[in-house]
Amino acid sequence: MTKSMKRHGAAVLWAVCMATAVCLLTVFFPVKAEAAAKTITAGSEAVRSGDCIYYVGGSRRNNDSIIRYDVKKKQKKILVDARDTGTMGFDTLTISGGYIYTTWNWSHGSDNVLWYVYRFSKDGKKQERLAVGRDPLVINGQIYYQEARVVNDPYWGGESSELTGYICRMKKDGSGKQKVCKIRGSKYSAKLFRWGKKMLYGECSWDGKLGKKLYDQTGKSYSTKKFTYRKNRIDGDMYGSKKVSEKVVGGKYSYYLKTRGGKNRGYTEIYGRNRKTGKESKIARFSSGIHDVYVCGDHLLAVTYDDARGATYCLSVNGKNKKKLGSWGWVS
């Protein structure tokens, strides 16, 4: 056997050994599916932090309160009460550390907007106006938000907000503001998302339907087909245009709503399905209809049309421990 043949044989043997090693490592140390890394999240009108659910609610007209419900102690507390301000109230919440971040619309009418980014301590005792803008989302220790400016609106004879078309970021105390990127596409339908430690944005409808593209702050585009938007809200769609609503994943289960009989009858029942076994179970029924349901860990927050004026309930995902939290506690 020549030296070149020996070298060739050794190279082949080395390649086989390496391939075997890779296979063994794959078996014993499986790599997480890439799909898990393609999950995006955003703020919500109801979020879970520890034993508490924080949500926006209030009157039928406005989301003029930020409310905390302790699922262990079964205690409700209004942290921020803006009913006397006459403003349009609060939007989605995001929680980081000891603070709640949200948009507060200081407009006094539904046809006008005056957006500010606020943060409130989780006990409701401290509040700070951080910036003019909306849609704050804490990502990797920074607050990202859509920048706005205050302008005089001749139609309303007062102040209103106008989006600048830029996404900005700042420290959690509101300092160090800087522009991150100019929004591609419609600035009014754009929404910010968290993808691990990165910020993405893209067009998103009021009911959570994504557009075709997502963008990062460098301008790189991604197809939304490669991402899963992990939201916790099930849109009740008061007419129940489909017999079964969209499904929202929460841990081992997916949750959805069903109509009380045929299309356009309104959703009245909450169901859960075990994602492993496929077993379905009815969790609760609200005879007058369901506006929205939020999946908050091992509890659900249901905004319903019950009790004539409507009511918000909290219940365990198995349907037990149902508690009425208030009338017309609209969450969205």
Side-chain angles (χ1 to χ4, degrees):
M1 182 181 293
T2 65
K3 289 183 179 181
S4 61
M5 293 174 66
K6 289 180 179 180
R7 284 196 298 269
H8 177 72
V12 171
L13 180 61
W14 179 85
V16 171
C17 290
M18 288 301 295
T20 303
V22 169
C23 291
L24 289 173
L25 285 170
T26 303
V27 171
F28 291 105
F29 302 97
V31 178
K32 291 183 179 180
E34 185 180 357
K38 296 291 188 181
T39 298
I40 56 175
T41 58
S44 174
E45 294 90 346
V47 295
R48 179 75 177 262
S49 179
D51 292 334
C52 297
I53 297 173
Y54 297 81
Y55 65 100
V56 294
S59 66
R60 180 175 182 176
R61 179 169 172 265
N62 305 331
N63 290 327
D64 47 26
S65 301
I66 298 178
I67 304 165
R68 181 183 69 199
Y69 179 65
D70 190 315
V71 299
K72 291 285 183 68
K73 298 179 180 179
K74 295 180 173 58
Q75 294 177 349
K76 185 187 83 168
K77 181 180 180 180
I78 297 178
L79 300 178
V80 185
D81 188 350
R83 286 174 291 183
D84 292 338
T85 66
T87 62
M88 295 304 293
F90 307 100
D91 204 332
T92 57
L93 309 175
T94 181
I95 294 179
S96 179
Y99 289 93
I100 306 163
Y101 299 86
T102 188
T103 305
W104 189 344
N105 182 2
W106 273 83
S107 171
H108 293 270
S110 59
D111 294 326
N112 191 26
V113 292
L114 188 55
W115 295 305
Y116 293 99
V117 175
Y118 270 78
R119 78 168 180 174
F120 302 92
S121 57
K122 290 170 74 174
D123 59 9
K125 294 180 179 180
K126 185 178 180 181
Q127 70 175 44
E128 299 169 90
R129 181 185 286 184
L130 302 181
V132 182
R134 71 175 192 182
D135 205 14
L137 193 61
V138 180
I139 305 172
N140 199 25
Q142 298 272 319
I143 305 172
Y144 289 79
Y145 65 100
Q146 286 198 62
E147 182 188 50
R149 55 175 168 255
V150 177
V151 298
N152 289 318
D153 192 327
Y155 181 78
W156 292 103
E159 294 181 333
S160 67
S161 290
E162 180 180 84
L163 292 175
T164 65
Y166 283 92
I167 293 174
C168 294
R169 70 179 173 213
M170 58 186 168
K171 295 180 181 179
K172 289 185 178 181
D173 62 0
S175 65
K177 295 180 179 66
Q178 56 181 296
K179 286 181 170 60
V180 173
C181 62
K182 187 172 179 60
I183 293 173
R184 298 177 64 175
S186 171
K187 58 187 177 183
Y188 289 101
S189 59
K191 187 175 182 64
L192 276 61
F193 300 96
R194 182 189 300 106
W195 179 29
K197 294 183 177 182
K198 294 183 65 174
M199 183 277 300
L200 299 179
Y201 72 90
E203 292 190 3
C204 184
S205 64
W206 65 270
D207 57 352
K209 299 295 190 298
L210 299 177
K212 295 182 179 180
K213 295 284 185 180
L214 292 170
Y215 302 92
D216 64 20
Q217 63 189 59
T218 69
K220 181 179 178 180
S221 65
Y222 305 81
S223 170
T224 53
K225 293 180 180 180
K226 297 181 179 180
F227 288 83
T228 299
Y229 177 18
R230 184 61 58 82
K231 56 182 179 177
N232 72 333
R233 172 178 178 250
I234 309 172
D235 178 21
D237 178 5
M238 64 182 296
Y239 299 107
S241 57
K242 296 180 180 179
K243 290 185 178 180
V244 179
S245 74
E246 63 178 344
K247 295 178 174 62
V248 168
V249 173
K252 296 179 181 179
Y253 292 84
S254 58
Y255 301 93
Y256 47 94
L257 311 177
K258 288 189 176 183
T259 69
R260 56 186 160 205
K263 292 183 179 181
N264 302 317
R265 295 294 185 89
Y267 294 119
T268 57
E269 297 174 337
I270 306 173
Y271 280 79
R273 182 186 295 274
N274 187 302
R275 296 169 62 202
K276 185 176 181 180
T277 65
K279 184 179 179 180
E280 180 186 73
S281 58
K282 184 167 74 174
I283 297 172
R285 175 180 173 81
F286 297 95
S287 59
S288 296
I290 299 169
H291 186 270
D292 291 303
V293 174
Y294 292 81
V295 181
C296 301
D298 55 3
H299 281 71
L300 304 176
L301 196 72
V303 185
T304 75
Y305 296 103
D306 275 15
D307 298 343
R309 294 186 302 155
T312 298
Y313 294 89
C314 185
L315 62 156
S316 301
V317 292
N318 59 10
K320 298 180 180 179
N321 304 311
K322 184 172 79 171
K323 181 178 176 64
K324 181 180 176 181
L325 301 183
S327 295
W328 276 123
W330 281 62
V331 180
S332 62

